[in-house]
Amino acid sequence: MAVGQRDAIYQKTSGQHIPTTLRWVIVGIGFLGLVWLALYNLPYSPRPWFDEGEHLRVPKTLVEYGKYAVWSADGFRYFGPTIGVGPTVLLPIALVFQIFGVGLVQGRAVILVYLGIALALYWLYSLKLWTSVWFSTFALTLLCAVPGIEFIVLGRQVLGEIPALAFFLGGLLAWWRAGGKDTPQWGWITAAGGLWALAAITKSTYGLLLPPILVALWLANKFYYQVVGWNWRTFALPAVMVVGGLGGWYLIILLFLGGGNFSSNLELLRQASGGSAFVFSLERMQSALKFIIGPEGLWGLAVPGLIYGLWLVRERTAVNLRLAMPLLFCLGWLGWFCFASVAWPRYAFPAQVVCTLFTAKLIWDAPALLVKASRRPEWRTAITVIVGGLAAALLLIGFATQVKETVKVDDGAQRLAAYLNQNVSKTALVETWESEMGFLTDHSYHYPPAEMLDKAVRRYWLKGAIPPLAEIYKPENLKPDYLINGPFSSWNELYPTGLLAKQYKLVGTFGDYSLYQRI
């Protein structure tokens, strides 16, 4: 067989052998499936939990009291949840609460809007990278199917991951457009910087990691790509905008939204920020590396995908300089996750999402690469069927896992809230660490101090570094009328069984929540 004929066969082997009509049918079914996954059983799956409750209490307090804080029995707390997620999430939810009333579904609906935007931007960005509608659709499907990423699950909760990612993906699109001509387009570079600044305001980790990643990209261009026109200013502008945006927001909190003077607010901010971003624990490094190379790391394909990405950007072109941005983002973010952070799996989420672009590309190109490596073009169909079958099996397994979780009804928090509303006075003091209860009802809750959260994180992830929380925190001195021991406090063993047995009687159990009344 002539070399030209053989190369033509290699070029055809790129996963595009499904009839067009069938492709559109598959896309339509997939779209309806994603809508169902996003909307079905929304109030009960996943169960409202600590982080979500913390975030939801801010817009609730803003609507009911006019304070950008969270309300509890000991007054307003101005830090913690107000810096965990930015105003780009909390203010839209407050607006929805003002119009439609305070409720879990209303809050989650705002994140669903961000979810739709993030999905659209991801699809558009992958289309810009490799100009294939069908590849973009496959990459999006892969992103939504991977259980370790839990993209749709996170899009059903009031958390900052999906909104921040939407801003970041918008910045990536603007960055790509900035290099679409012979010289960088400053308007698009500014737009990228602005969107990345919004991502940093939404989740502060972007503000910590994006500037050094941009520095690394500038060095890659200076010493390797050497693309004309992309000087240090084109990388410095978005980096300065990211730092300035996040710093400006923190300054607003300290000066106007903190409830105290600047120095006291700064100390509260320091306590609330915690220390899980930079711990440098050998044990956590090992755990993080196992996570990245294991099944939760895109079924073990994350690292091969990144290696393939390095191969794709090897040529010194302007296009590859722009493609190097998401690749360096993944490498930089995962480097921080593995070697510096406390390695909570959710910390890896942004890098995992962007990494799917390269993993999807590896799977998409695998038939052509295998045919070329085997030097047997006649095996093209068989190899394509095998690779396609394996990919389809992984996608089906991933979606099956998510469907199982989506249909599960966990209404313990709502049942407990209903019981409290019917049987417990609003003036009774209720001790708990389940922040979601402070959102679901209007009772007078007392929560552990904000610095306890950092201690809990360090005790769980850094074994033995912190004594048992029950030895540090003594809620019995407050003599609360009721005590709720729920999933978060049970996980942290905050309320010892001895305290509960001596001073309280069990009123009832509601799923994972137990309500106790003082004897």
Side-chain angles (χ1 to χ4, degrees):
M1 181 180 291
V3 174
Q5 292 177 313
R6 186 173 61 202
D7 289 344
I9 292 177
Y10 294 149
Q11 293 299 320
K12 291 178 182 179
T13 313
S14 58
Q16 303 183 36
H17 302 286
I18 302 174
T20 301
T21 303
L22 180 58
R23 290 182 195 173
W24 283 115
V25 170
I26 294 173
V27 168
I29 294 173
F31 175 77
L32 293 176
L34 288 180
V35 172
W36 181 85
L37 278 174
L39 297 177
Y40 183 79
N41 199 26
L42 186 60
Y44 307 109
S45 178
R47 173 189 65 206
W49 62 296
F50 177 85
D51 275 14
E52 189 174 22
E54 286 281 273
H55 302 148
L56 282 167
R57 287 167 58 211
V58 178
K60 179 182 179 180
T61 302
L62 183 59
V63 169
E64 295 181 349
Y65 296 95
K67 300 284 188 179
Y68 195 79
V70 291
W71 181 85
S72 65
D74 54 357
F76 295 103
R77 293 185 181 181
Y78 292 91
F79 296 95
T82 59
I83 61 173
V85 173
T88 49
V89 175
L90 302 181
L91 292 183
I93 293 177
L95 178 61
V96 170
F97 284 174
Q98 187 68 43
I99 299 172
F100 299 104
V102 176
L104 180 62
V105 171
Q106 294 93 308
R108 288 182 169 182
V110 173
I111 308 302
L112 286 176
V113 173
Y114 274 115
L115 175 65
I117 295 172
L119 288 170
L121 290 173
Y122 179 94
W123 187 88
L124 287 171
Y125 184 62
S126 61
L127 181 63
K128 289 291 183 182
L129 293 183
W130 288 297
T131 64
S132 168
V133 169
W134 303 113
F135 167 77
S136 298
T137 304
F138 169 70
L140 186 67
T141 305
L142 179 69
L143 170 66
C144 295
V146 178
I149 296 179
E150 297 186 329
F151 195 86
I152 301 298
V153 174
L154 286 175
R156 293 166 57 96
Q157 306 173 68
V158 180
L159 302 172
E161 275 72 15
I162 294 295
L165 180 74
F167 289 119
F168 176 69
L169 290 173
L172 282 182
L173 265 172
W175 183 262
W176 187 267
R177 291 290 302 272
K181 297 183 179 180
D182 293 336
T183 57
Q185 304 300 297
W186 283 97
W188 287 112
I189 290 174
T190 304
L195 288 166
W196 289 338
L198 290 174
I201 292 171
T202 306
K203 292 293 291 184
S204 60
T205 313
Y206 286 86
L208 294 174
L209 299 182
L210 273 176
I213 288 170
L214 286 166
V215 170
L217 188 62
W218 165 66
L219 292 173
N221 183 55
K222 181 177 179 62
F223 295 105
Y224 184 76
Y225 291 105
Q226 300 179 345
V227 177
V228 176
W230 288 83
N231 55 42
W232 67 270
R233 297 178 185 85
T234 55
F235 303 94
L237 176 61
V240 169
M241 294 180 71
V242 169
V243 174
L246 182 59
W249 168 239
Y250 276 4
L251 191 61
I252 290 173
I253 291 179
L254 292 170
L255 292 177
F256 305 110
L257 302 177
N261 58 46
F262 184 86
S263 59
S264 63
N265 288 341
L266 186 62
E267 176 59 22
L268 289 172
L269 176 63
R270 186 196 64 78
Q271 293 177 3
S273 299
S276 59
F278 298 100
V279 298
F280 303 103
S281 164
L282 182 60
E283 180 185 354
R284 301 313 307 152
M285 292 178 191
Q286 294 172 343
S287 178
L289 289 170
K290 290 179 181 178
F291 175 83
I292 294 301
I293 66 177
E296 291 183 290
L298 300 176
W299 294 298
L301 296 175
V303 174
L306 292 175
I307 294 173
Y308 188 53
L310 289 170
W311 174 256
L312 291 174
V313 301
R314 69 192 184 281
E315 295 182 1
R316 303 182 182 189
T317 65
V319 171
N320 282 344
L321 172 63
R322 289 181 288 160
L323 183 57
M325 174 59 194
L327 183 63
L328 284 176
F329 174 82
C330 291
L331 295 173
W333 196 291
L334 290 177
W336 162 77
F337 173 78
C338 291
F339 300 108
S341 80
V342 78
W344 186 22
R346 212 170 85 197
Y347 283 4
F349 172 77
Q352 284 185 293
V353 170
V354 178
C355 186
T356 59
L357 292 167
F358 299 102
T359 298
K361 183 62 174 172
L362 174 61
I363 297 172
W364 190 259
D365 292 347
L369 295 172
L370 292 172
V371 168
K372 191 169 185 178
S374 68
R375 299 184 180 275
R376 300 297 296 268
E378 62 273 18
W379 291 358
R380 174 177 60 88
T381 301
I383 290 176
T384 301
V385 170
I386 293 172
V387 173
L390 291 173
L394 289 175
L395 295 177
L396 288 174
I397 292 171
F399 279 120
T401 302
Q402 296 192 54
V403 169
K404 181 180 178 181
E405 292 299 316
T406 300
V407 301
K408 183 190 300 182
V409 175
D410 190 342
D411 62 349
Q414 286 88 345
R415 287 190 288 115
L416 174 56
Y419 181 89
L420 292 172
N421 286 331
Q422 295 173 8
N423 299 281
V424 176
S425 170
K426 294 290 196 301
T427 59
L429 182 62
V430 183
E431 168 69 29
T432 189
W433 211 6
E434 313 307 320
S435 295
E436 63 274 21
M437 299 312 302
F439 173 74
L440 294 173
T441 80
D442 296 324
H443 288 77
S444 180
Y445 292 98
H446 180 270
Y447 304 95
E451 59 268 21
M452 287 295 295
L453 180 59
D454 181 55
K455 289 180 171 60
V457 170
R458 286 181 169 271
R459 173 167 172 76
Y460 181 81
W461 296 110
L462 306 174
K463 307 296 185 183
I466 300 292
L469 299 187
E471 297 179 6
I472 303 172
Y473 181 59
K474 303 293 183 180
E476 58 267 29
N477 297 332
L478 299 169
K479 296 183 178 180
D481 302 298
Y482 292 87
L483 186 148
I484 297 173
N485 191 25
F488 193 68
S489 56
S490 297
W491 181 51
N492 289 291
E493 300 178 340
L494 182 65
Y495 304 121
T497 55
L499 166 69
L500 298 177
K502 291 179 181 179
Q503 301 185 22
Y504 292 88
K505 66 176 181 179
L506 179 65
V507 175
T509 301
F510 308 83
D512 293 331
Y513 299 83
S514 297
L515 176 64
Y516 295 86
Q517 185 176 14
R518 177 173 286 277
I519 299 175

